[in-house]
Each structure stands twice: as structure tokens, then as C-alpha cells.
């Protein structure tokens, strides 16, 4: 579906209502709530004008060259908003990864705490860390896109990462190796298991949302809420440590750079949530898989990095 056919978020309109309408437009006629697992019904070959295509640097990467971690260049896109509690640990973990080259783009959504000062301490010296400072909160899509547009064509992998995460070499070695081993180059997006600091596992990969799920989770009845949550749990078979899912939480997305060329940027008409669902649907529609990797684990604290209001351009 062409992006221009989606409803627009207007001043005073609830962003939640807009996001639901936009996502419903993408899923209309394509999603059967009784179909879980491989989501083959979404993997249809789309015409070029139905996909928001994007060029990395001066060259479009239409095919993959999936390099092992120690030979690859990775670009991280990290969004901050009053993230002083988290950002140092996040940047320490990212810059310690054993890629050949690590580039980091931090986009700050108008923080008024120590986030800027902490981040600026990483922008000098031999670390390739860039800071994009915004005067106000632009939400998650427009801000991330600012960094994605700066990524050059020599980058092999892109990771969209929340600032309240801590990554590790073991997890990224596993994730990258899964992409390298994917001889059919079918995986467009992969994500790890995420746990909080108490070890509680989060549901990183989920079924695509349905009206039934949303209604049950919104009801003030605990049994219905539990049923709605259970309906989000994917039941696809795990094959070689991977499970095909409807969508991955955008706290940690790893993709070959060719995915960005094929799928395009985030839809900036969605201010906050469900931009992760929307993008994963577009990955499916581009003929690619969205895969959850249980064998890779990172830490994810929870910090809301945008306010729920409507950004009017």
C-alpha cells in the first residue's frame, strides 16, 4: 500500500487513533487473525511505487552482502529523551562490540537532564559517535529517520536501539550469524530476547494486533486482559533458533542495510506507537521475514522516550 494513502494525523487528533487507523489501512484485506506463524500471506511482491524506497548514501543496496561480525560495519540509531539514567550504559555496551567498525547516531528529543552532556563525552576521541540535538520531542519515527538518512552506503548492518538497553558481544554474534547463515537472504529484520534487570523476560516478538486482542487488553477484567496478552504470543515453530513473528518491539532491531533500501524509512505520520508494528508489516509486504531469536539476550529497562501528543509538521 502506498504511504500517501494512509490517513493523516491532524492537530488535536489522538495519535493513538491515528496510529490504529494507519495500521488498519496497511492490514486491510491482508491479515487473517486466525493465521499465525510464517505470515506468508503478507509476503507479496509489491510494485516499486507501493514501497517507500530509500537510498543509502549515493548507492542503493538492493542485495545483501552479509558479512561476519568482525568484518562488518554497523550503524546504531539510538533515540534519547531525558535518558541520563540509561544512556551511558547503553553507549558503553555499543562501543565495546567487536564489529570491524561501529558507528553510532544518537538523536536527542529535547532532553532537559544530563543526557546531552553524557552523550557529548562520547563524540570526541576515537569513537564514531554523532549527536543530533532536537529542540523539542518529535516522537520516534521522525527522529529515527533523521539518523537513518545519515547512514552511508558502506554500512552492512543497521541496529535501531533504545537508550535503555545494554547489548553484548555474545548476543550480536548470534544475531549476525543468523543473518549470515540465511542463504536465501529472507530475513529482513531480527531481534533478540529482552529481559529487565531482574531477569524478567519480555515478549519481544508478537503476533500482529487484532481488534480482539486490543479489546481484551483494554477491558477492566483481569481474565480478559490475560486472554488478550496470551493471544499476542506467537505459536510458530522455532527452527534453527528462530521464530517467525508478526512484529518485533523496536527496542532492538537488527537488519541488513538492504532492508532499509527495500522497505524505506519509518512512517513519520505516526508519532509514537505502533510504529514497530507498521514497519514490520512493511517488511513482510516486501517479501522478507521478521524473526525473533531466543538464543540472543540483551538487557532492556523500560523508559518511555516520547510523549503521547500529535506532532504537526
Amino acid at each position: 500500500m502506498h504511504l500517501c494513502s494512509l490517513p493523516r494525523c491532524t492537530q488535536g487528533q489522538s495519535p493513538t487513533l491515528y496510529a490504529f487507523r494507519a495500521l488498519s489501512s496497511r492490514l486491510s484485506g491482508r491479515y487473517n487473525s486466525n493465521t499465525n506463524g510464517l505470515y506468508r500471506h503478507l509476503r507479496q511482491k509489491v510494485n516499486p511505487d507501493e514501497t517507500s524506497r530509500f537510498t543509502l548514501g549515493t548507492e542503493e543496496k538492493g542485495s545483501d552482502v552479509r558479512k561476519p561480525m568482525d568484518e562488518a560495519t554497523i550503524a546504531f540509531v539510538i533515540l534519547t529523551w531525558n535518558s541520563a539514567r540509561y544512556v551511558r550504559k547503553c553507549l558503553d555496551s555499543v562501543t565495546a562490540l567487536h564489529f570491524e567498525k561501529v558507528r553510532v547516531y544518537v538523536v536527542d528529543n529535547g532532553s532537559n537532564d544530563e543526557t546531552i552532556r553524557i552523550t557529548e563525552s562520547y563524540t570526541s576521541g576515537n569513537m564514531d559517535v554523532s549527536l543530533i540535538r532536537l529542540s523539542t520531542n518529535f516522537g520516534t519515527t521522525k527522529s529515527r529517520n533523521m539518523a537513518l538518512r545519515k547512514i552511508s552506503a558502506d554500512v552492512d548492518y543497521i541496529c535501531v536501539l533504545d537508550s535503555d538497553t545494554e547489548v553484548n558481544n555474545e548476543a550480536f554474534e548470534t544475531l549476525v550469524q543468523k543473518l549470515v547463515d540465511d542463504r536465501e537472504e529472507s530475513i529482513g529484520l531480527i531481534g533478540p530476547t529482552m529481559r529487565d534487570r531482574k531477569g524478567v523476560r519480555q515478549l519481544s516478538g508478537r503476533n500482529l494486533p487484532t481488534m480482539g486482542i486490543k479489546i481484551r487488553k483494554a477491558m477492566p477484567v483481569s481474565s480478559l486482559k490475560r486472554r488478550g496478552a496470551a493471544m499476542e504470543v506467537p505459536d510458530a515453530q522455532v527452527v534453527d533458533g528462530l521464530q517467525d513473528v508478526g512484529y518485533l518491539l523496536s527496542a532492538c532491531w537488527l537488519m541488513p542495510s538492504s532492508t532499509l533500501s527495500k522497505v524505506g524509512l519509518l512512517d513519520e505520520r505516526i508519532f509514537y506507537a505502533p510504529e514497530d508494528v507498521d514497519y514490520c508489516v512493511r517488511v513482510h509486504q516486501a517479501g522478507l521475514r521478521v524473526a525473533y531469536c531466543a538464543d540472543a539476550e540483551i538487557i532492556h529497562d523500560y523508559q518511555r522516550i516520547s510523549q503521547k501528543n500529535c506532532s504537526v509538521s
Side-chain angles (χ1 to χ4, degrees):
M1 179 174 292
H2 197 279
L3 293 181
C4 294
S5 66
L6 292 176
R8 289 191 174 275
C9 184
T10 56
Q11 190 167 16
Q13 179 183 353
S14 162
T16 302
L17 176 60
Y18 163 73
F20 183 79
R21 289 177 59 212
L23 184 60
S24 296
S25 295
R26 290 207 202 281
L27 293 175
S28 178
R30 294 179 180 268
Y31 179 61
N32 178 346
S33 62
N34 295 320
T35 306
N36 294 319
L38 297 180
Y39 294 94
R40 291 192 183 95
H41 52 292
L42 285 174
R43 295 195 199 121
Q44 303 176 15
K45 196 167 184 178
V46 295
N47 295 324
D49 62 349
E50 292 178 328
T51 302
S52 177
R53 299 185 69 83
F54 177 69
T55 301
L56 286 169
T58 59
E59 168 188 342
E60 183 176 334
K61 283 199 172 185
S63 61
D64 283 327
V65 179
R66 301 190 176 189
K67 298 179 182 178
M69 183 171 169
D70 60 354
E71 299 176 11
T73 297
I74 187 169
F76 283 89
V77 173
I78 301 173
L79 194 59
T80 59
W81 180 65
N82 293 335
S83 305
R85 274 185 62 191
Y86 309 100
V87 68
R88 188 183 299 279
K89 291 179 179 179
C90 178
L91 290 175
D92 282 345
S93 69
V94 165
T95 55
L97 292 175
H98 296 165
F99 285 88
E100 183 177 27
K101 292 181 182 178
V102 175
R103 297 174 188 164
V104 183
Y105 299 89
V106 179
V107 187
D108 185 75
N109 256 337
S111 293
N112 54 23
D113 64 356
E114 292 294 298
T115 300
I116 296 296
R117 182 187 64 79
I118 294 170
T119 304
E120 285 180 336
S121 69
Y122 290 82
T123 60
S124 59
N126 59 358
M127 290 181 288
D128 195 348
V129 179
S130 302
L131 173 62
I132 302 171
R133 294 184 62 174
L134 304 179
S135 59
T136 189
N137 195 329
F138 282 93
T140 57
T141 56
K142 185 176 291 188
S143 303
R144 284 173 173 155
N145 281 349
M146 290 179 187
L148 290 170
R149 289 187 177 97
K150 290 182 175 291
I151 295 174
S152 58
D154 64 330
V155 167
D156 302 295
Y157 300 105
I158 298 169
C159 182
V160 173
L161 192 69
D162 278 1
S163 57
D164 54 3
T165 58
E166 284 184 53
V167 299
N168 59 82
N169 273 299
E170 183 178 1
F172 270 77
E173 286 171 358
T174 300
L175 293 171
V176 171
Q177 194 59 48
K178 295 295 185 185
L179 293 175
V180 172
D181 292 341
D182 177 27
R183 301 302 182 189
E184 296 180 355
E185 299 179 355
S186 61
I187 300 173
L189 199 62
I190 190 170
T193 295
M194 295 187 286
R195 298 182 185 272
D196 65 19
R197 295 191 180 278
K198 295 180 180 179
V200 177
R201 178 178 172 273
Q202 300 163 10
L203 188 61
S204 309
R206 307 184 181 196
N207 287 329
L208 290 172
T210 65
M211 185 65 74
I213 290 174
K214 293 299 183 184
I215 290 175
R216 286 172 174 82
K217 291 184 69 177
M219 295 294 286
V221 180
S222 58
S223 60
L224 290 177
K225 285 181 180 290
R226 287 194 298 269
R227 175 57 181 157
M231 291 169 67
E232 290 184 308
V233 179
D235 58 3
Q237 184 178 1
V238 177
V239 180
D240 295 330
L242 295 177
Q243 183 181 41
D244 284 87
V245 296
Y247 76 102
L248 292 164
L249 299 185
S250 60
C252 184
W253 282 349
L254 179 67
M255 67 182 85
S257 57
S258 59
T259 295
L260 187 63
S261 294
K262 295 172 183 175
V263 179
L265 297 167
L266 295 160
D267 184 352
E268 295 184 1
R269 289 165 293 179
I270 299 176
F271 180 81
Y272 172 83
E275 84 287 354
D276 45 7
V277 183
D278 179 81
Y279 197 79
C280 288
V281 168
R282 288 166 56 201
V283 172
H284 286 298
Q285 290 175 340
L288 299 170
R289 295 165 58 198
V290 177
Y292 161 67
C293 179
D295 298 335
E297 289 195 9
I298 68 168
I299 295 173
H300 179 221
D301 291 313
Y302 178 77
Q303 182 211 8
R304 174 155 285 170
I305 53 177
S306 63
Q307 297 168 323
K308 283 196 172 182
N309 58 7
C310 187
S311 178
V312 180
S313 56

